[in-house]
Each structure stands twice: as C-alpha cells, then as structure tokens.
Amino acid sequence: MELKVKMSEIANATRALNDIASQRLIAKTGLQIGRALKVVTGELEVYEKSRAALVEKFNGVFNPQTNVFDFADKEGFTEEFQGLLDTEITLNVDKIKVGDLTDCKPQVATMMQLAWLVED
C-alpha cells in the first residue's frame, strides 16, 4: 500500500516506531513495523542530508549554549527548512491495524506520532 505523508511526520515517527518495535508483537504486526521502520529510516537519511545541506547553504553555526544552529539569514533558512518538512513523500508500507497492537502498551505520544500508519 502506498501512503502519502509529510517529511515532518516521518521525522517525528522514528522514536515512535522504535518504541513499538521494542515491544512484543504478533509476527505479522512485527513484520509490518520492521518494514515500516526500514522504509522510514531510508527517508530519514535523505532528510538528514537535505537538512545538513541547508545548514551549510545558510552558513549555520552550532551554538553549544543553546544547542541549536544560528544563522545570519534565519528567515531564509526557516523558509527552506519548512519547505523540506512540508515535502510530501510516498511510502510503500502497509497500515497497521490498531487491533494488532492489543498486547502492546505504547504511550499516547507514540500513537499520535504514528496516526498516519495505524488504522482502526
């Protein structure tokens, strides 16, 4: 199945997928989560390279006091970075049925981050 999601949803989903992947699942669901994690990891590599290129393009300087990058043209960076986050990606993954997660005890935040991947 092909799912269309924004890059921001993918970037936010990694920790949630790892949380679910660390729990005991029935084989079918475990396989689905594993496949989704593999696909998302590939997209995250593209995201990280694109983000690093933007930081370089806008001469970002890491500030250890604030733990963020500082930019002379912060508005330019923010605009292009938001464009990256808004990029729509098509993922070839199957949706996971919420009923297949009945033995899991994920946090609410995990389920919210995976709303695009889980169906009733």
Side-chain angles (χ1 to χ4, degrees):
M1 166 183 256
E2 291 186 347
L3 295 176
K4 291 186 184 280
V5 296
K6 288 187 177 184
M7 186 62 80
S8 59
E9 292 173 299
I10 293 170
N12 289 331
T14 306
R15 183 174 288 147
L17 281 169
N18 284 323
D19 178 36
I20 294 289
S22 69
Q23 300 193 31
R24 297 182 65 84
L25 301 167
I26 60 173
K28 177 185 171 188
T29 306
L31 184 59
Q32 285 177 300
I33 292 287
R35 285 181 181 159
L37 191 53
K38 185 176 180 179
V39 169
V40 166
T41 299
E43 292 298 334
L44 280 173
E45 288 175 13
V46 173
Y47 164 77
E48 285 299 331
K49 287 178 184 176
S50 300
R51 187 187 64 77
L54 283 177
V55 168
E56 186 176 326
K57 176 182 176 181
F58 286 95
N59 299 315
V61 177
F62 184 72
N63 183 335
Q65 292 175 326
T66 61
N67 206 30
V68 296
F69 284 92
D70 293 326
F71 300 94
D73 181 6
K74 188 173 182 172
E75 287 181 24
F77 172 80
T78 301
E79 183 178 319
E80 288 198 33
F81 183 64
Q82 189 60 52
L84 173 63
L85 292 174
D86 289 340
T87 301
E88 194 169 81
I89 305 293
T90 301
L91 301 177
N92 188 15
V93 296
D94 293 326
K95 284 206 167 214
I96 297 161
K97 296 196 181 305
V98 74
D100 291 340
L101 297 173
T102 54
D103 291 336
C104 294
K105 294 183 181 179
Q107 296 181 7
V108 172
T110 296
M111 295 308 292
M112 289 175 59
Q113 291 168 347
L114 295 177
W116 57 270
L117 184 61
V118 178
E119 65 183 359
D120 290 333

